Amino acid sequence: MSSATHALIETENRLGAYNYKPLDVVLSRGEGVWLWDVDGNRYLDCLSAYSAVNQGHCHPKILAAMMEQAKKLTLTSRAFRNDQLAPFYEEIAALTGSHKVLPMNSGAEAVESAIKAVRKWGYEVKGVPENKAEIIVCSENFHGRTLGIISFSTDETARGNFGPFTPGFKIIPFGDAAALEAAITPNTVAFLVEPIQGEAGVIIPPKGYFPKVREICTRHGVTLILDEIQTGLGRTGKLLAEEHESIEADVTLIGKALSGGFYPVSAVLSNSEVLGVLQPGQHGSTFGGNPLACAIARTALKVLVEEGMIENSAKQGAYFKSQIEAIRSNAVREVRGRGLMLAVELHPEAGGARRYCEALRQRGILVKDTHVNTIRIAPPLVVTKDQVDWASGQIEAVLTSLA
Ligand SMILES: *Cc1c(COP(=O)(O)O)cnc(C)c1O
């Protein structure tokens, strides 16, 4: 480690809240799938900022849109209108088939906004008695870090000593449609779920789960809210992961790659009456729907589609998965994934995923461990076959030498 790197890490550790424990690599530049540290070492990014940079680092067209808009107008607040919001609504509605859009900033804000809207919908449309609305969620979920959201987390690290928590949530196992049906009461307003549980270690539900979930929600008048903040926008090889299941959510949450990593932009998309219950003054955000965010998001969506990134995600994802599956290593328990949302789960005896991540960093690949034994692999969607071949070789070397 160079002294420059060491000094930056030391300052971070001394002055920053210690709520993260990053790998000791200090990055200063990114381009496409590549990242460079302050010492000039190059890495293939296999995390993509938790899928916020699906379009690749510093995509030139998104950068140009950002620069151009930043020179003209960045923020008006929603007290006034701006000329980027309407075309953003139009383009995202056309792309996703949504009827209403609520623009926010972070993913957690989109989740909170959906919870607020769907509760209000429950009281005003479904006729749930005051303060009785229930929302069903899944164990091992990840929906963000606000107090409302951690109130229904099952991760003790995320919850410990942050109470008291918000009531009104019921937790059921992921992938169990019968448990959903059993948990529903006349006061259930929504089922909030990830199409694939990302932070839990890329957990794919059993085949047929989501069609059954869709049918149950429809039959009971329960709003199906899909959190596609990580799975959406091409990550799984489709624009939205719901397409793999041939279903449509009532409310879809997107964020992360909605800006290609340039800026926090999220949105609640609704194809039901849910967002229709919000009236002036009842919800808002100073930055939500600002012209800079809208200009960036418009271009981030445009390049995703025009440059074939979604198809590339399906193609390179399937190839990458097959290459990793072909690795013979005693350390590997299971290889999972869809599109470029991949994970290698190691046997508990393998000594934890973290040391494999460290070893991969030495070989020029940045990956992140999740849930102790799982290595998540999720490069930007612009990754090429040659890069996948090279990365597979490095992963093979590490999985066979450390095992
Ligand atoms: C990242 C993520 C969030 C939270 O997004 P933030 O922008 O970090 O608030 C919510 N849900 C899922 C599935 C995520 O992956």
Side-chain angles (χ1 to χ4, degrees):
M1 191 188 295
S2 72
S3 60
T5 301
H6 187 81
L8 288 165
I9 292 173
E10 195 279 322
T11 304
E12 255 191 52
N13 290 348
R14 184 163 42 84
L15 294 175
Y18 188 49
N19 57 330
Y20 279 94
K21 188 172 180 287
L23 291 188
D24 281 337
V25 56
V26 182
L27 301 165
S28 55
R29 191 159 73 84
E31 189 185 320
V33 297
W34 300 107
L35 288 165
W36 285 264
D37 69 16
V38 290
D39 301 322
N41 301 305
R42 190 180 78 159
Y43 304 91
L44 181 73
D45 183 3
C46 279
L47 181 66
S48 306
Y50 298 92
S51 297
V53 286
N54 285 357
Q55 297 88 340
H57 289 278
C58 299
H59 191 289
K61 287 187 183 153
I62 309 175
L63 175 65
M66 182 179 195
M67 304 270 279
E68 197 191 323
Q69 186 61 42
K71 283 185 230 162
K72 287 198 282 199
L73 184 66
T74 58
L75 183 63
T76 57
S77 85
R78 297 287 303 278
F80 310 118
R81 298 180 191 269
N82 75 73
D83 70 353
Q84 292 297 308
L85 188 57
F88 168 65
Y89 283 166
E90 229 166 13
E91 288 161 20
I92 199 165
L95 189 62
T96 61
S98 311
H99 301 152
K100 284 228 172 277
V101 185
L102 173 68
M104 298 296 289
N105 310 286
S106 69
E109 281 177 304
V111 176
E112 289 276 349
S113 303
I115 292 170
K116 285 175 69 178
V118 83
R119 281 180 169 178
K120 202 164 194 298
W121 168 86
Y123 302 124
E124 296 174 6
V125 179
K126 188 168 174 170
V128 173
E130 195 181 338
N131 287 331
K132 295 289 185 220
E134 292 166 2
I135 295 173
I136 300 172
V137 299
C138 289
S139 53
E140 306 295 311
N141 69 72
F142 184 83
H143 297 290
R145 299 293 198 166
T146 61
L147 269 176
I149 294 169
I150 62 164
S151 292
F152 55 85
S153 170
T154 56
D155 176 357
E156 264 319 300
T157 311
R159 284 167 58 89
N161 286 342
F162 291 127
F165 298 113
T166 307
F169 300 98
K170 243 189 212 175
I171 301 168
I172 61 168
F174 182 63
D176 184 345
L180 172 64
E181 181 128 42
I184 290 173
T185 75
N187 296 337
T188 305
V189 294
F191 178 43
L192 166 64
V193 62
E194 300 155 82
I196 295 172
Q197 288 191 321
E199 296 313 295
V202 186
I203 309 298
I204 300 174
K207 201 168 161 41
Y209 173 63
F210 273 107
K212 196 92 219 301
V213 162
R214 177 65 277 181
E215 185 270 312
I216 293 168
C217 288
T218 303
R219 186 151 41 82
H220 291 276
V222 169
T223 304
L224 175 58
I225 307 174
L226 284 185
D227 180 345
E228 295 241 23
I229 292 167
Q230 191 165 143
T231 54
L233 305 180
R235 176 49 60 189
T236 69
K238 302 270 189 194
L239 178 72
L240 296 174
E242 68 172 22
E243 294 169 46
H244 291 288
E245 314 284 353
S246 306
I247 61 156
E248 274 184 36
D250 300 305
V251 174
T252 301
L253 310 177
I254 54 173
K256 292 199 166 113
L258 185 50
S259 72
F262 280 84
Y263 198 87
V265 188
S266 67
V268 181
L269 309 174
S270 158
N271 72 359
S272 68
E273 302 307 308
V274 174
L275 283 177
V277 300
L278 295 177
Q279 296 299 312
Q282 294 173 347
H283 187 63
S285 160
T286 303
F287 278 80
N290 76 71
L292 185 58
C294 291
I296 291 170
R298 292 177 65 195
T299 311
L301 291 173
K302 195 170 151 169
V303 301
L304 196 70
V305 173
E306 281 185 3
E307 299 181 13
M309 293 180 194
I310 302 169
E311 293 78 13
N312 192 59
S313 171
K315 188 171 160 198
Q316 301 307 334
Y319 179 63
F320 206 163
K321 185 159 173 262
S322 72
Q323 293 296 95
I324 300 171
E325 279 168 343
I327 297 171
R328 278 179 199 22
S329 161
N330 293 331
V332 178
R333 182 171 178 177
E334 189 182 39
V335 180
R336 292 188 289 270
R338 209 165 258 172
L340 281 167
M341 187 172 187
L342 300 170
V344 181
E345 186 181 334
L346 306 175
H347 284 292
E349 310 85 67
R354 178 88 180 191
R355 64 193 193 100
Y356 291 84
C357 295
E358 293 282 1
L360 282 166
R361 177 177 68 110
Q362 303 292 329
R363 290 172 168 272
I365 296 183
L366 291 180
V367 285
K368 180 72 173 67
D369 52 299
T370 173
H371 275 234
V372 186
N373 290 316
T374 302
I375 307 169
R376 177 201 337 234
I377 300 169
L381 310 186
V382 296
V383 72
T384 64
K385 180 175 179 293
D386 285 352
Q387 291 161 348
V388 169
D389 281 328
W390 176 79
S392 303
Q394 303 306 314
I395 293 166
E396 175 168 25
V398 165
L399 285 176
T400 49
S401 67
L402 283 191

